[in-house]
Amino acid sequence: MTPNAASVSSGPSRRSFLASTAVATAAVAGGMPLLAACGASDSGSRGGTTSGKDAKKLLPTYVASNVVKPDIPARNGSAMGFTRELAAADLKTSVPKKLGKGGKVTIMSPFWGSPPKQNNPYYTAMNSLIGVDVQWQNQDGNTYDQKLGAVLASSSVPDVVVIPGWNMGGKIPSAITGKFADLSPYLSGDRAEEYPNLAAIPTDAWQRSIFGGKLRGLPQPSPYVTGIIPLYRKDIFDKEGYGLPTSAAEFTALCKEITNARAKRWACGDMKWTAFEIFGVLSGSEKPLGWNLADGKMIYRVETPEYLEALEWTRKLFAAGYVHPDFRLGKSQAATDPGSKFGSGEFLIWNNNISNWWGQQSAQAIQNPDFKVWGMDLFGHDGGHPTLWAEQPAGIFAFVNKKAPESVIRDVLAVANVTAAPYGTKEWMMTNYGVEGTHYTLKNGVPVKNDRGNNEVLNAYVMVASPAPTIAHPDYPDITRASVGWQQRMGAFTRKSSFWGLQITEPARYTNLSDDFEQLEDDVVRGHKKISDMQQAVSDWKKQGGDRLRDWYKKLLDENGSAN
């Protein structure tokens, strides 16, 4: 699980936004959802990317999996959906023979929680299934960037290192190109057919796995539709007769109707990320996604009028008192448990990761049987269709040590071929739930982890590689259908900016150029700073390197083209 899948935050920060959109939601159990290109040799200091014909030579040939047919096929950048209950007898086999040759592989990966002992039943069963002796070097996910930097700067790098996109700052991209192996001799073109579950990973995710002009990463694919959704208390909306808004003005009017501070009811949480969506602001989840060529000019998201309009609209929600008071404190002192206050009805609208649609519903099911959370469709601020911007199709990657012999590389690919098995297979069930009877039981077709399962079966093998994006909640099939349907509807209004799908390394001198904007955004919407302060910050950004970075991106696009 990712950090924000494990717990519900008061509002998505850049890191939690990246984390939430880097994974697809898979099946559920035990009260928690499970997890579902720098080209050129100059990528270290000058940056770059790889696209077009050069990239096509490196990418695996896509071969869709036909082992299990989804109930809801993917469309418009959505995940695929499964609503059916599971039965052990119906699970399919996607890896008919062990591809591992019995070697030892060490894997370093971020871990949230207390790592289990190495030779626990889950690790032992997975290693037996794969035919590889995987030894885990789990590291605290909250401080992973520190450990990562130290390890990559040393001469002792594990066989495999998992690196999330939000940990790829500073010198990490250049370390990736210098420390990790080119996997194209094993996966490019038809070579991937030896590993069918890897061949079934969407091509867009593999494109994102090109670093330093080489295919280096094993990806976790994700839907490219935005993962941030306005969740709302449908039970209370229905009871009170509240209608769903179709414009920014209607949303504001609805907030006024809902809010009654004396009765301890407010309309919403911090709606900044939803504001960016309904005003059509370029994505802020990753710096390259914030750039787009429009009418022949390269422009960055903070320069657009839509950016300022979204901040001003959000500021007015705060100023009018429509936002729950806990959110006024900002991220540094955010509400300790906004989920319980959403559950008790203290506020009714909350933009959050789509995985929390199921998470909130399941968390409230026992103590509040009338509780019903639902997802609100996004709208254009003026009442028309929204203009949404695509997120990256992969954001967490596993890399193989450049010094690893072929035998180790092939054992790593054997591991990934099992962990990328699709929902409804024996390999998927083992990867995500462990051993039946030891780690989980099936109750009415829903796998439910016991205490041992919750302690041992998490944060490990799922981090190596994943199948195509999947949403599967057999205990709440209506949420599965609604979640995928929401993604498909929003996907119809989703555009891909100029650098979507590419793995880009900015020149080192620009690495921290725009780091202060997120904090300034939060200060502006809370009234601590003014819109004019943001305008001044944008002016300073241009002078301090933004205009030179613009020229760099324009040249990059001219030379490499887009991946769209």
Side-chain angles (χ1 to χ4, degrees):
M1 286 186 37
T2 58
N4 71 305
S7 62
V8 182
S9 65
S10 61
S13 65
R14 174 160 297 173
R15 176 171 295 194
S16 68
F17 186 86
L18 276 166
S20 67
T21 57
V23 298
T25 308
V28 300
M32 286 189 177
L34 283 173
L35 295 185
C38 329
S41 58
D42 60 1
S43 60
S45 59
R46 291 162 51 198
T49 190
T50 300
S51 61
K53 294 181 180 179
D54 290 338
K56 290 180 180 179
K57 297 175 184 177
L58 306 176
L59 300 174
T61 300
Y62 175 71
V63 182
S65 173
N66 59 5
V67 177
V68 180
K69 183 179 179 181
D71 300 315
I72 311 171
R75 182 168 59 89
N76 292 342
S78 77
M80 68 181 82
F82 291 89
T83 60
R84 74 193 74 164
E85 297 177 347
L86 295 170
D90 295 335
L91 294 175
K92 307 298 182 181
T93 298
S94 67
V95 184
K97 66 175 183 178
K98 295 181 183 180
L99 296 180
K101 303 302 181 183
K104 179 180 177 181
V105 172
T106 57
I107 303 178
M108 187 178 96
S109 179
F111 196 96
W112 293 272
S114 300
K117 295 180 179 179
Q118 175 59 44
N119 295 319
N120 67 73
Y122 172 53
Y123 289 4
T124 300
M126 281 295 294
N127 289 350
S128 176
L129 173 66
I130 300 165
V132 175
D133 180 16
V134 176
Q135 298 288 311
W136 287 95
Q137 296 180 7
N138 294 309
Q139 306 295 333
D140 184 354
N142 296 315
T143 57
Y144 191 61
D145 52 348
Q146 301 170 23
K147 182 67 176 181
L148 188 62
V151 168
L152 295 184
S154 72
S155 59
S156 180
V157 178
D159 296 322
V160 177
V161 178
V162 175
I163 306 180
W166 61 91
N167 288 136
M168 288 187 185
K171 298 180 179 179
I172 299 300
S174 59
I176 289 172
T177 61
K179 296 282 187 176
F180 297 117
D182 176 11
L183 301 179
S184 58
Y186 309 91
L187 294 175
S188 292
D190 295 339
R191 299 183 184 97
E193 292 181 5
E194 186 174 350
Y195 308 97
N197 289 330
L198 297 182
I201 290 176
T203 299
D204 290 339
W206 284 116
Q207 167 75 60
R208 282 278 290 165
S209 304
I210 298 175
F211 293 78
K214 306 292 184 182
L215 185 68
R216 300 183 196 273
L218 296 168
Q220 290 189 27
S222 57
Y224 69 68
V225 182
T226 176
I228 301 300
I229 180 174
L231 299 175
Y232 70 98
R233 287 292 303 274
K234 189 176 188 304
D235 53 330
I236 297 177
F237 267 58
D238 290 346
K239 179 182 177 181
E240 300 294 339
Y242 298 138
L244 295 178
T246 59
S247 69
E250 287 185 10
F251 188 97
T252 302
L254 173 64
C255 288
K256 182 178 180 180
E257 183 179 3
I258 292 172
T259 301
N260 183 344
R262 289 185 178 181
K264 291 195 68 176
R265 174 163 290 175
W266 291 266
C268 57
D270 180 355
M271 302 303 295
K272 182 185 74 171
W273 285 91
T274 291
F276 288 153
E277 293 171 333
I278 67 177
F279 279 87
V281 180
L282 287 159
S283 175
S285 65
E286 182 179 288
K287 291 173 185 176
L289 290 181
W291 289 95
N292 190 51
L293 186 69
D295 299 324
K297 182 180 180 181
M298 189 65 66
I299 191 166
Y300 192 49
R301 64 189 299 267
V302 301
E303 302 175 276
T304 63
E306 294 85 2
Y307 179 73
L308 296 179
E309 289 166 1
L311 294 177
E312 175 63 10
W313 181 74
T314 310
R315 186 195 67 78
K316 288 180 177 179
L317 294 180
F318 273 97
Y322 301 150
V323 179
H324 191 286
D326 284 357
F327 290 89
R328 294 190 63 88
L329 299 173
K331 291 191 297 296
S332 61
Q333 304 177 64
T336 55
D337 189 10
S340 66
K341 295 181 180 182
F342 182 70
S344 66
E346 285 193 28
F347 66 99
L348 306 187
I349 308 169
W350 191 13
N351 58 191
N352 220 304
N353 182 257
I354 195 170
S355 65
N356 284 317
W357 189 338
W358 172 87
Q360 285 294 312
Q361 187 65 51
S362 62
Q364 296 290 332
I366 296 177
Q367 65 265 37
N368 187 358
D370 295 328
F371 179 94
K372 188 167 188 179
V373 62
W374 213 245
M376 185 182 295
D377 277 12
L378 297 167
F379 43 81
H381 69 95
D382 58 358
H385 294 313
T387 298
L388 306 175
W389 294 96
E391 298 303 327
Q392 296 290 22
I396 300 178
F397 308 88
F399 300 92
V400 184
N401 191 324
K402 196 172 187 177
K403 297 179 181 179
E406 179 176 344
S407 60
V408 169
I409 293 176
R410 290 200 176 276
D411 275 347
V412 172
L413 296 178
V415 175
N417 191 54
V418 168
T419 65
Y423 177 86
T425 63
K426 296 176 182 177
E427 296 81 17
W428 181 92
M429 186 67 89
M430 177 72 82
T431 299
N432 289 277
Y433 287 93
V435 180
E436 185 175 10
T438 300
H439 298 106
Y440 74 95
T441 56
L442 281 171
K443 296 182 180 179
N444 299 319
V446 178
V448 179
K449 289 182 187 177
N450 54 30
D451 290 342
R452 186 162 202 164
N454 285 325
N455 289 330
E456 294 180 355
V457 188
L458 73 167
N459 291 177
Y461 294 86
V462 293
M463 301 299 286
V464 178
S466 300
T470 301
I471 296 177
H473 303 306
D475 50 348
Y476 287 99
D478 58 332
I479 290 181
T480 298
R481 285 187 286 267
S483 298
V484 177
W486 186 89
Q487 289 183 336
Q488 292 179 345
R489 292 192 303 277
M490 298 307 98
F493 306 118
T494 297
R495 299 168 58 187
K496 297 173 182 177
S497 54
S498 297
F499 300 99
W500 176 86
L502 297 176
Q503 193 64 254
I504 291 174
T505 302
E506 289 186 353
R509 61 187 178 278
Y510 302 126
T511 298
N512 301 316
L513 185 61
S514 58
D515 285 355
D516 295 335
F517 279 115
E518 186 177 17
Q519 182 59 54
L520 183 54
E521 290 168 3
D522 291 334
D523 287 341
V524 168
V525 300
R526 287 165 175 78
H528 306 320
K529 297 286 186 178
K530 299 177 181 179
I531 289 291
S532 59
D533 293 320
M534 179 61 77
Q535 291 172 314
Q536 183 60 52
V538 172
S539 177
D540 294 342
W541 168 85
K542 291 180 181 180
K543 296 174 183 176
Q544 293 166 3
D547 283 336
R548 293 190 296 277
L549 184 58
R550 181 196 326 281
D551 294 339
W552 182 86
Y553 268 104
K554 182 63 167 61
K555 183 179 180 183
L556 189 70
L557 188 63
D558 290 344
E559 293 179 349
N560 293 276
S562 173
N564 295 348

